[in-house]
């Protein structure tokens, strides 16, 4: 209850990825957390039961001059139980 699981397929060379969530499929996405490249499943907690949440992910590579980000993943919906 109050949880969602986000699965991430490893991308060669990535440093990590960031999970974003919203209650709208198109707007209002907020950063949940960064996860290391070796984490393939992120547990998202503190969600309201019986509500649909939308998630998207983008990977990043840390370089000497900053971060390089991938394009956004497609948005996926989850009905929290």
């Amino acid at each position: 209850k109050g949880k969602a699981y986000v699965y991430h397929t490893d991308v060669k060379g990535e440093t990590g990825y960031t999970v974003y969530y919203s209650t709208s499929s198109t707007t209002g996405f907020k950063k949940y957390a960064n996860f290391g490249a070796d984490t393939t499943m992120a547990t998202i907690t503190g969600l309201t039961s019986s509500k649909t949440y939308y998630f998207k992910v983008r990977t990043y590579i840390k370089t000497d001059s900053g971060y390089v980000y991938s394009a956004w993943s497609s948005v996926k919906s989850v009905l929290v139980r």
Side-chain angles (χ1 to χ4, degrees):
K1 288 192 170 194
K3 294 181 186 178
Y5 301 97
V6 175
Y7 295 89
H8 169 68
T9 303
D10 189 33
V11 175
K12 187 174 182 170
E14 73 177 346
T15 304
Y17 63 99
T18 307
V19 174
Y20 294 80
Y21 73 101
S22 178
T23 55
S24 165
S25 63
T26 57
T27 61
F29 281 88
K30 298 176 188 172
K31 179 179 174 180
Y32 180 77
N34 291 328
F35 296 92
D38 57 341
T39 304
T40 57
M41 184 188 78
T43 303
I44 313 303
T45 60
L47 304 176
T48 303
S49 295
S50 301
K51 194 169 203 173
T52 299
Y53 287 86
Y54 299 88
F55 295 91
K56 62 183 179 178
V57 173
R58 70 177 177 174
T59 60
Y60 60 87
I61 298 170
K62 185 176 181 182
T63 67
D64 291 339
S65 58
Y67 291 90
V68 177
Y69 294 94
S70 71
W72 293 104
S73 69
S74 58
V75 175
K76 302 293 182 182
S77 64
V78 174
L79 174 60
V80 177
R81 296 180 186 220

